Structure formats: C-alpha cells, structure tokens
Amino acid sequence: GSRSAQQGAAGGDGSAGGAVAHTPSTEDFSLSLLDTNLPAEAETELRSFIAKRLTKGALFEGMGNVASVGLSIPEGKVGCYYCRFQQESLLEMATLESDINAPEYVVCFLGGSEKEDTFRLELDKYIQNLKINLDLEQKNLEASVSPYLRNWFEDAICPIQRVVQLFQDKLGSLLHAALSYTPVEVKNADERTEKDISRFLAAASLQGLVQEGTMTSLCIAMTEEQHKSMVIDCSGPQPQLHNAGSNRFCEDWMQAFVNGAEGGNPFLFQQILENFKLKAIQDINNLKRFIRQAEMNHYALFKCYLFLKNCGSGDILLKIVKVEHAEMPEARNVVTVLEEFMRE
C-alpha cells in the first residue's frame, strides 16, 4: 500500500525553524516536512536524497545510516545521519486494523563531515527517545518534537566534550574509575552534568569488549573493596573527588584529552576515547598471552611482571585477569605470584 513519511531535518547546530515545502509523491509514498532549519533549496535536495534511499528500500526501521550529502549550503558536502522509524502505538493499531496506514518518519541530522558515524549508536538512542516522546504527545506533534530535534547536537554529541572541559586534569581519575568499574557517586550536580558523567563512564568502560561474566565479577569485586565508591562533589566551580584512584596509563590519556580540548572538537574526543579503550584491550590480551606462557616458563613469568610494571595500568589489568582466571588453577597461581611481586 502507500505509506506517508514525514521528514525532520536539523542542521549542524541543532536549531530548528522554517519552511514547509511539498514534494511530488511517488506511487509508493510521499514525503512531507515536519521541521527543519535548512534553507529551502538545500531542504529540497535533502528530501530528494532521502526519497531515493526510501525507493531503494535502504532504510531499516530504527537503524541509523550515515552518508555524505552534497547540498546548496556554504559547507557544500556534509555528513548526514538519517533514520526511519514509526510510532509504536500506531504501528500496533495498523496491524490490528489493516486499513490504517501508520505514518513513518525520517529524521536527518547534519554535521560538518561523515564523522557522525562516530556517534551513530548515540544518535540511534536519541531516536529511540524521540519515539517515546512521539507516543506520549501524538496530538501535538510539532510542539513535542521540535524542541527535542533542536537539541540533538548538545544532547547526543557534546557530553564527552563537556566532561573533559569540566574535569580537566582530574579526568585521569574518571578514566581509572571507568576502566576498573569502580562505583561512582555524583553529588550536588545538575541533571545534565550527572547524565554527562554517567555517559562518559559508560563510554570509557570496556562494556561489550570483554566477557560479560568478567564485568559482573569485577563490579562485585570493586564494590566490596575498602574504598568503595569514588565520590564526585560538583558543588564548586570544579568537581572535588574523594576516594579517587589513578595510574600512569590513565594520566597519559588524560593529557591527550586535555591537549585536544583546545580545538574543542567533540569528534576528536570520541576518537581519543575509542583509542584509549583499544589500547586497554590490547594490553589485557598481551597480559593474558604472557600468563598462558608463564604457566610453563619462568622467564615468561618475569616478562609478565615487567609488562605489568611498565604498561602503567598494572593495578587494573591484574584485577581483570584475576577475575577471568579464577576458575583456572595454573593461571590463578601465576596471577597470585604476580600480585606478590607487584606488592613488593
């Protein structure tokens, strides 16, 4: 049958406003504009781009895509994140009553380059929340959707940048807490700052990159430790940290973030964060390889010790491998010896 799609487009600064334009409908669907802050000519070009993608069936419900799009704007080519979705409540009604056409929506977010791909998962989550808003506010679509669309850049792209600027040289302790799964308690912060810190901790952790059982055991182990949670007090101009830990690895990466802060590019911070996690995973895998060798070879045991001493993150790596090797007697013995060496 025919499906109608409404397209909201927001520009790089996330502000919204503007014109309603009509596009010729095809046999399968028509596109009508809900909200945009693009100039009329560029909006028509974007709509044409989206229409072609819809015709090819290249948009899957709820899964964002990123492409480079040439538009009649000063930037010329920009990165475009676009996602098709439907209101779930109307979708359910449509399946019950086949003559109802559930409206479908395409949301587009435009930025300076294709680097929006760095934030594709964050923007997918942003669209999920938009679906919830739509379900709650069906009767007043424009009033509920427009303010939300306007804030996409601030809400989905900038949190990591804001945390870097807020913590500055104390960021090493936040990275340490994320990597070691130390519980974090935030006090006297406004709602946005609390969400930003929580988002940063989740983004900097190795969730999804190491075994789920390891993460669970590590969380339990860290919660049971003497110092318990790290406390962040945001009552002053700069956060005060209590029970904070850090190591050379996290301090070195903190420097990379602080150096990047001068340019103020959120995409750069996201890239640094990905590299930070990649290096942590490489170090864990190297240590695990050395431990396997050390089960048979005393020289490899010494290599393990040197690696832990020099990598800058020995305290965290030892905890992770201790949890992972808890059920493996030979490896567990190696870890116990390494713990003694590191203590001395």
Side-chain angles (χ1 to χ4, degrees):
S2 69
R3 62 181 193 264
S4 71
Q6 287 183 295
Q7 172 199 340
D13 61 355
S15 61
V20 174
H22 296 284
T23 192
S25 61
T26 69
E27 284 178 2
D28 192 31
F29 62 86
S30 64
L31 281 170
S32 54
L33 180 68
L34 179 63
D35 199 1
T36 186
N37 68 344
L38 278 175
E41 188 181 352
E43 188 275 314
T44 308
E45 291 163 348
L46 179 62
R47 196 190 302 219
S48 167
F49 165 79
I50 294 298
K52 282 176 190 164
R53 295 290 165 123
L54 285 168
T55 307
K56 288 176 184 172
L59 273 74
F60 295 102
E61 212 276 340
M63 286 174 61
N65 298 271
V66 175
S68 189
V69 186
L71 301 174
S72 302
I73 49 175
E75 294 84 357
K77 259 196 166 176
V78 288
C80 174
Y81 166 92
Y82 55 98
C83 183
R84 175 175 76 83
F85 69 94
Q86 289 170 286
Q87 285 174 254
E88 283 169 12
S89 56
L90 288 184
L91 191 59
E92 284 165 19
M93 284 170 63
T95 53
L96 294 170
E97 302 174 43
S98 55
D99 58 331
I100 295 177
N101 282 323
E104 295 180 65
Y105 304 90
V106 180
V107 175
C108 304
F109 296 132
L110 303 179
S113 71
E114 277 192 67
K115 288 179 183 170
E116 265 72 5
D117 201 32
T118 318
F119 287 95
R120 191 166 51 79
L121 294 176
E122 283 81 358
L123 290 170
D124 281 352
K125 283 180 200 160
Y126 202 67
I127 298 300
Q128 286 302 318
N129 288 334
L130 179 61
K131 283 171 79 166
I132 294 163
N133 286 353
L134 275 179
D135 286 345
L136 294 174
E137 302 278 353
Q138 285 171 32
K139 289 172 187 170
N140 197 354
L141 209 56
E142 291 187 39
S144 64
V145 173
S146 298
Y148 189 81
L149 285 175
R150 236 175 261 136
N151 293 324
W152 76 274
F153 196 77
E154 281 295 309
D155 290 351
I157 309 294
C158 294
I160 289 164
Q161 180 178 13
R162 285 196 293 268
V163 168
V164 172
Q165 289 165 344
L166 179 66
F167 280 80
Q168 295 174 25
D169 58 355
K170 294 178 180 173
L171 194 72
S173 295
L174 207 58
L175 290 169
H176 188 269
L179 214 52
S180 61
Y181 282 80
T182 302
V184 174
E185 194 182 331
V186 182
K187 292 182 172 177
N188 304 315
D190 59 67
E191 189 185 354
R192 187 170 86 163
T193 302
E194 203 166 334
K195 274 187 182 169
D196 285 353
I197 293 170
S198 171
R199 162 101 174 261
F200 184 91
L201 289 166
S205 77
L206 301 179
Q207 192 80 45
L209 297 176
V210 297
Q211 294 168 10
E212 207 170 305
T214 303
M215 289 298 96
T216 310
S217 304
L218 204 54
C219 288
I220 294 166
M222 291 310 293
T223 309
E224 286 171 353
E225 277 202 3
Q226 294 280 309
H227 65 263
K228 298 229 168 115
S229 28
M230 178 173 98
V231 178
I232 302 171
D233 186 352
C234 295
S235 52
Q238 216 194 351
Q240 297 302 309
L241 309 183
H242 307 284
N243 303 328
S246 194
N247 58 29
R248 196 175 75 247
F249 180 80
C250 293
E251 290 302 313
D252 288 347
W253 280 97
M254 175 273 291
Q255 206 52 57
F257 278 103
V258 171
N259 293 344
E262 292 166 19
N265 180 347
F267 298 103
L268 174 64
F269 293 126
Q270 184 78 0
Q271 196 56 62
I272 295 171
L273 203 54
E274 292 303 321
N275 293 343
F276 163 78
K277 292 198 292 187
L278 184 64
K279 183 69 176 84
I281 287 290
Q282 284 173 343
D283 285 353
I284 290 168
N285 290 337
N286 282 332
L287 179 59
K288 285 202 264 194
R289 195 174 75 248
F290 289 144
I291 287 173
R292 278 198 302 275
Q293 293 167 359
E295 289 172 18
M296 314 290 292
N297 180 324
H298 287 296
Y299 177 67
L301 179 63
F302 184 64
K303 265 171 74 177
C304 269
Y305 166 65
L306 284 181
F307 177 76
L308 280 170
K309 206 173 148 193
N310 296 327
C311 72
S313 195
D315 57 332
I316 294 173
L317 297 188
L318 253 182
K319 278 175 189 153
I320 290 172
V321 294
K322 186 179 181 179
V323 165
E324 285 203 353
H325 294 119
E327 305 299 318
M328 299 153 72
E330 290 89 352
R332 194 173 66 231
N333 292 339
V334 171
V335 172
T336 306
V337 172
L338 288 172
E339 277 186 311
E340 286 171 18
F341 268 105
M342 292 299 280
R343 268 200 299 275
E344 288 171 18

